Amino acid sequence: MHELMNTTREALYLLLSLDPALWEIIGVSFRVSLTAILVALPPSLLIALLLARVAFPGRWFAISLVNTFMAVPTVVVGLVLFMLLSRSGPLGELRLLFTQRAMILGQILLAMPVLTAMLHSTLQSIDQRAWETARQLGAGWWQSLWVLLREARFGVIAAVLAAFGRIIAEVGSAVMIGGNIEHFTRTITTAIALETLKGEFAQGLALGLVLLLLALVLNVLLGVMRGRGHQTVSV
Amino acid sequence: MLTRRLSLFATLALSFLLVSGAQAADTVRLATTTSTYNSGLLDYLLPKFEEDHPYQIQVIPVGTGKALRLGRDGDVDLVLTHAPAAEKAFVDADYGVEPHGVMYNDFVIVGPSGDPAGIDGGDDATSAFATLAGQGATFISRGDDSGTDKKEKHLWEEAGVTPDFEGFRAAGQGMGEVLKMASELQGYTLTDRGTWLAMKDKLDLKIMVEGDTGLFNPYQVILVNPERYDGLNTQGARALAEWLISDEGQDLIDAFRLNDKALFHASAGEKVDPTSAVHESD
């Protein structure tokens, strides 16, 4: 217990004293995960729109497929990407393995199912009339889409927050395809794994606190969004 | 009803205590380094020990830093590590008792067969390291405070280089992962011979430098100080340590082969001096 108190105090000190090594790692995590979300959002939105608005044979199966991908363990995504990007793999020539780009790629693959599934359910629950009214009032296709997205904005933000929470907290694929290289591909989670291995518990705990705080902020935001979303629906 | 539940609970609790008590009496927890574990030496030695002794050994493979930390925290009964300076500090601070030298193995420098830095065939590790730094070659470092990592840091120091040259990558992972990374990125790395032999068929690398006395690597077994913690299995730990340095244990270590190569050289009775052949600093 005494040890735990000491470690926690040390961890807080590291965070609050703006320990550069610690904040560099936090920076890498955020840069990689935010990039992944930004890249993953447009295609996810497109797929979600297709699934929500276009009736095609096998649509229910496509929806099941998206939900299935949500359950794929991150280490499996890491392993598959590793095999693709490895020197002996089909994409070895790209020399992407153990770079931030490879990590972003992995996180895009992890974020897309979450984004697609949540966006799909949001777009489905939006009143059909929003689209039709816009079309009847002479709005073009793009304008109508804009109206629809404005209607669904809280759902979109909720999806983004949930996906971001998932990818910034995952360690399996990050360590496999990023390689935990210092100053380069070392993220919050891979650093926690390493510091624990080294017996440097305070460092690990400090980074863990950052993730905990982030989860809290994301969940509060999500709660706020859900509440606001409901209000706009009920009005 | 309530009394029935209570008695059930009490029975369960009691049986749990009995089980865990029984387990504590004959289980010995050994923290060792990933490189030792990966070599397969323990899979070969421990069953032979368990045949003649009433103990079961649970092996916890981690980096040297974590192994000594587990010992310091009383989470294991003994450690088998290879970082003389850190081990000396561990014993001096009274965390560990009865240190014994058990064996030696050695490190090798491996790299891509193209050898862009031109260090192949050398037998001087320090000058090879100086060349790698001068060339800005791709070098994958363990960077995880393991015995191997401490060794590598010492070699940079000997070479008079600060390892921040173009191409230096600290991976903060185990030996196996680092070897895979070196193979993927076609870089150089320092590895223990055991992990190298176990993995070399899967790697696109070859040995560049070996045989320098500065690459030797002594192992010690150290008991966790029983006066610091209750509930340690010191008796079992001592039985294992003494068996490792007995004639039987030492002969078995010498007879161990990996891919037809001897990996460890028994060295019980030789004092491990933190400033000796494998001088190494923290």
Side-chain angles (χ1 to χ4, degrees):
Chain A
M1 198 64 223
H2 180 68
E3 180 72 15
L4 190 64
M5 291 294 292
N6 274 347
T7 310
T8 312
R9 197 175 310 129
E10 216 176 315
L12 285 172
Y13 173 77
L14 279 174
L15 276 179
L16 300 175
S17 64
L18 303 185
D19 182 67
L22 202 69
W23 285 94
E24 179 191 43
I25 291 166
I26 294 166
V28 171
S29 254
F30 274 81
R31 200 164 43 244
V32 168
S33 295
L34 283 171
T35 312
I37 286 284
L38 285 175
V39 177
L41 189 56
S44 303
L45 200 52
L46 202 66
I47 299 169
L49 268 171
L50 279 176
L51 292 176
R53 309 219 48 92
V54 183
F56 57 92
R59 175 157 74 149
W60 64 271
F61 184 72
I63 293 168
S64 309
L65 212 57
V66 170
N67 287 325
T68 307
F69 279 125
M70 273 217 286
V72 172
T74 60
V75 280
V76 174
V77 171
L79 178 62
V80 170
L81 264 185
F82 186 97
M83 285 169 15
L84 288 173
L85 299 177
S86 160
R87 278 166 48 84
S88 53
L91 304 176
E93 288 306 306
L94 298 175
R95 293 276 177 274
L96 275 179
L97 196 61
F98 305 128
T99 63
Q100 285 192 5
R101 280 192 175 167
M103 292 172 90
I104 290 168
L105 201 58
Q107 296 200 349
I108 288 170
L109 292 179
L110 289 168
M112 273 185 71
V114 180
L115 286 170
T116 310
M118 285 183 73
L119 290 169
H120 168 251
S121 61
T122 298
L123 291 171
Q124 258 199 329
S125 64
I126 296 279
D127 200 335
Q128 296 283 352
R129 281 173 305 188
W131 175 267
E132 281 152 22
T133 312
R135 293 291 286 157
Q136 275 162 1
L137 290 172
W141 208 87
W142 285 110
Q143 272 182 301
S144 309
L145 185 66
W146 182 242
V147 171
L148 191 71
L149 287 183
R150 271 243 323 259
E151 248 347 88
R153 63 190 179 277
F154 294 117
V156 173
I157 295 168
V160 166
L161 291 179
F164 184 74
R166 178 181 194 198
I167 61 178
I168 201 162
E170 76 84 29
V171 65
S173 88
V175 77
M176 257 175 159
I177 51 190
N180 188 32
I181 297 169
E182 198 176 11
H183 310 307
F184 186 42
T185 56
R186 184 162 299 173
T187 64
I188 298 178
T189 50
T190 64
I192 291 175
L194 164 69
E195 298 300 344
T196 310
L197 206 73
K198 280 172 34 178
E200 299 280 349
F201 297 159
Q203 285 265 7
L205 199 63
L207 290 161
L209 285 173
V210 173
L211 278 184
L212 205 62
L213 201 66
L214 179 73
L216 181 70
V217 170
L218 287 181
N219 277 309
V220 168
L221 282 175
L222 264 171
V224 171
M225 287 299 149
R226 285 219 176 90
R228 299 272 304 270
H230 281 310
Q231 276 167 16
T232 50
V233 168
S234 63
V235 162
Chain B
M1 185 67 208
L2 190 66
T3 44
R4 249 221 335 248
R5 261 197 206 167
L6 269 177
S7 67
L8 183 71
F9 175 75
T11 318
L12 276 174
L14 196 66
S15 56
F16 177 75
L17 276 177
L18 283 173
V19 168
S20 57
Q23 227 181 357
D26 57 15
T27 317
V28 178
R29 282 164 310 169
L30 165 71
T32 188
T33 64
T34 39
S35 50
T36 320
Y37 187 76
N38 291 341
S39 69
L41 175 75
L42 294 173
D43 292 333
Y44 151 92
L45 283 179
L46 295 179
K48 297 188 168 66
F49 168 81
E50 286 170 349
E51 264 170 38
D52 307 335
H53 299 80
Y55 301 111
Q56 277 203 309
I57 315 295
Q58 293 179 346
V59 181
I60 302 162
V62 285
T64 296
K66 177 87 181 278
L68 293 174
R69 174 81 193 221
L70 287 172
R72 197 182 114 180
D73 293 345
D75 293 324
V76 291
D77 304 308
L78 77 165
V79 299
L80 175 64
T81 50
H82 54 99
E87 286 154 14
K88 183 174 183 304
F90 181 73
V91 173
D92 286 349
D94 259 349
Y95 294 124
V97 293
E98 303 173 35
H100 292 289
V102 176
M103 58 197 183
Y104 280 97
N105 76 340
D106 70 337
F107 291 107
V108 293
I109 301 173
V110 298
S113 45
D115 190 27
I119 60 164
D120 194 5
D123 59 3
D124 181 345
T126 308
S127 71
F129 263 48
T131 309
L132 288 172
Q135 303 269 345
T138 303
F139 186 96
I140 318 296
S141 163
R142 285 280 295 271
D144 63 352
D145 260 8
S146 58
T148 309
D149 189 47
K150 289 179 156 66
K151 179 73 175 180
E152 184 209 305
K153 285 187 175 118
H154 178 74
L155 286 170
W156 292 123
E157 212 171 297
E158 292 276 284
V161 182
T162 318
D164 55 1
F165 53 89
E166 179 69 26
F168 182 83
R169 304 258 184 280
Q173 292 191 75
M175 198 67 250
E177 285 84 0
V178 166
L179 279 168
K180 268 195 298 213
M181 207 181 279
S183 174
E184 284 292 340
L185 300 174
Q186 287 293 286
Y188 297 83
T189 190
L190 178 77
T191 169
D192 65 287
R193 195 183 288 271
T195 312
W196 164 252
L197 286 175
M199 291 190 56
K200 70 181 177 66
D201 297 340
K202 297 199 202 85
L203 303 167
D204 191 8
L205 298 169
K206 62 188 280 277
I207 290 185
M208 298 278 148
V209 179
E210 62 184 327
D212 181 350
T213 49
L215 290 173
F216 284 8
N217 179 32
Y219 281 75
Q220 285 195 105
V221 64
I222 308 172
L223 304 194
V224 175
N225 188 349
E227 285 172 14
R228 296 186 72 92
Y229 295 99
D230 287 339
L232 290 174
N233 189 350
T234 305
Q235 211 181 345
R238 187 172 292 127
L240 175 60
E242 283 174 357
W243 182 82
L244 284 172
I245 58 174
S246 70
D247 289 346
E248 184 190 354
Q250 293 280 293
D251 291 344
L252 283 169
I253 288 170
D254 273 337
F256 176 67
R257 293 285 181 278
L258 186 64
N259 300 351
D260 298 330
K261 284 210 166 63
L263 208 52
F264 296 102
H265 311 282
S267 66
E270 297 174 34
K271 278 226 66 73
V272 174
D273 172 2
T275 57
S276 74
V278 196
H279 34 213
E280 168 205 312
S281 53
D282 275 304

